[in-house]
Amino acid sequence: MQGIEPKFHNSLAERIEAYRSLTQAMEEHEAQSFDVASKFSELLELYEEYLANRKKLEKSIKEYRQFHDGLRKVITDQSQNLGRKRNIDNFEEC
């Protein structure tokens, strides 16, 4: 290294190393930013899927309740009619 001052050479080498460290840090940061963005979009998709499933579940629960109430009314009416019929039959036998 004749003709190049060691101070100048060391300064240049330090700057090159700092530049390489900065570019590496930026690449890692960009990779992390991409990773965070992809995880966020995945989380958003999962949340939208959750909302859709929740709406389906609420609809199913509502339909179940309506079916249950309707069936309960039918069974109640039929059991009351059977009870009346049994009472009438028992009364006629007496």
Side-chain angles (χ1 to χ4, degrees), residues 15-72:
R15 286 184 179 200
I16 291 172
E17 184 61 34
Y19 176 77
R20 188 170 36 161
S21 296
L22 283 173
T23 56
Q24 186 178 13
M26 289 297 291
E27 289 172 358
E28 289 174 1
H29 176 71
E30 288 174 1
Q32 288 177 349
S33 295
F34 178 75
D35 190 40
V36 168
S38 67
K39 286 183 179 181
F40 178 73
S41 71
E42 182 181 349
L43 182 64
L44 185 60
E45 289 173 12
L46 288 172
Y47 183 68
E48 289 172 356
E49 182 181 344
Y50 160 77
L51 290 177
N53 288 337
R54 181 177 163 195
K55 287 180 183 180
K56 289 178 186 176
L57 179 62
E58 288 173 350
K59 182 180 176 186
S60 295
I61 290 171
K62 183 179 177 182
E63 289 173 357
Y64 173 82
R65 284 183 181 156
Q66 290 174 345
F67 183 78
H68 178 268
D69 289 343
L71 188 59
R72 185 177 45 84

Side-chain angles (χ1 to χ4, degrees), residues 1-13 16:
M1 288 205 291
Q2 294 177 352
I4 299 176
E5 296 180 25
K7 182 178 179 183
F8 178 75
H9 174 73
N10 288 340
S11 173
L12 184 59
I16 291 172

